[in-house]
Amino acid sequence: MQVNIGEIKDTKGGEIRFRLVEDWSKLYIDGQSVHCVSPVVFSGRVTATGEVFLVRGTVATDIETTCARCLSPVRVSIKADVDERFRMASHAGGAGSAGDREDEDDEWREEDVREFRGLTIQLDDVVLENLLVSLPIKALCREGCRGLCPQCGQDLNAGECGCIVSDINPRMAKLAQLLNGRE
Ligand SMILES: [Zn+2]
Ligand SMILES: [Zn+2]
């Protein structure tokens, strides 16, 4: 995903509205069972402030992940607000002078301003980062999903397995003993 800022590059206050739609279904995120099952839609605008380009908008897609309790696939709609700043990389960035220039530039180089080259701002990274932070920590296939039996692994939504599972955790059991002892 990208947006070309050619028209507003020299116009302070200039704005470009965009709506980008891309199929990210082939994207698999390392170590996470997350899969985009509908196109990623990013609608927003770029505003030239004279110093930076503000990119603001909303990203939405549907992802498929697994239920935190029973591990069955769950589809979740996610939406993330994007609010990022970009600036053009300076042309005078020769490899030799980079070290000397760094100190002068420090004030300018706020941590949260990203650089881009040419007239095109690449948005994939910010879109991905913002989507990732919006993922549900625990997705459930349904409210009150009963999960898997800790003993035999049966999906308890499908029916009882007949195992006898004690839910009392050892610390609570000790507390119960103490309380009983007082009586
Ligand atoms: Zn479930
Ligand atoms: Zn069981």
Side-chain angles (χ1 to χ4, degrees):
M1 282 187 179
Q2 58 188 46
V3 61
N4 185 295
I5 50 86
E7 308 171 24
I8 57 165
K9 128 179 118 74
D10 301 314
T11 317
K12 193 170 172 172
E15 192 173 276
I16 296 172
R17 288 178 178 272
F18 58 82
R19 185 171 186 276
L20 306 167
V21 180
E22 228 169 79
D23 177 11
W24 282 15
S25 59
K26 300 250 157 45
L27 174 87
Y28 284 87
I29 299 155
D30 259 0
Q32 301 210 38
S33 50
V34 169
H35 183 203
C36 293
V37 287
S38 65
V40 177
V41 180
F42 183 11
S43 358
R45 55 179 194 242
V46 197
T47 314
T49 67
E51 293 186 311
V52 293
F53 294 89
L54 295 176
V55 175
R56 288 189 171 144
T58 310
V59 181
T61 188
D62 296 311
I63 54 146
E64 194 174 271
T65 180
T66 49
C67 172
R69 290 190 194 149
C70 73
L71 308 179
S72 64
V74 193
R75 204 179 157 124
V76 185
S77 297
I78 51 175
K79 223 176 195 186
D81 289 328
V82 175
D83 184 350
E84 303 282 345
R85 283 180 281 172
F86 292 83
R87 72 174 180 115
M88 283 180 172
S90 56
H91 299 291
S97 63
D100 298 336
R101 291 179 50 83
E102 217 162 301
D103 291 337
E104 306 169 32
D105 278 0
D106 263 355
E107 248 180 340
W108 229 117
R109 196 170 290 155
E110 296 164 63
E111 277 172 34
D112 46 349
V113 179
R114 298 163 195 259
E115 290 197 333
F116 66 97
R117 292 182 187 280
L119 296 176
T120 305
I121 302 180
Q122 297 293 340
L123 297 168
D124 287 359
D125 286 352
V126 297
V127 167
L128 185 58
E129 284 168 26
N130 283 285
L131 281 180
L132 284 179
V133 297
S134 308
L135 291 177
I137 294 166
K138 246 190 180 178
L140 293 181
C141 61
R142 70 192 87 174
E143 217 178 304
C145 167
R146 302 184 59 206
L148 303 179
C149 168
Q151 216 141 355
C152 72
Q154 167 157 328
D155 183 348
L156 297 174
N157 300 304
E160 295 294 338
C161 52
C163 296
I164 298 160
V165 180
S166 152
D167 308 320
I168 302 174
N169 92 31
R171 282 168 68 187
M172 291 301 283
K174 202 156 189 188
L175 186 67
Q177 267 176 14
L178 286 173
L179 290 173
N180 285 335
R182 271 190 208 163
E183 278 171 2

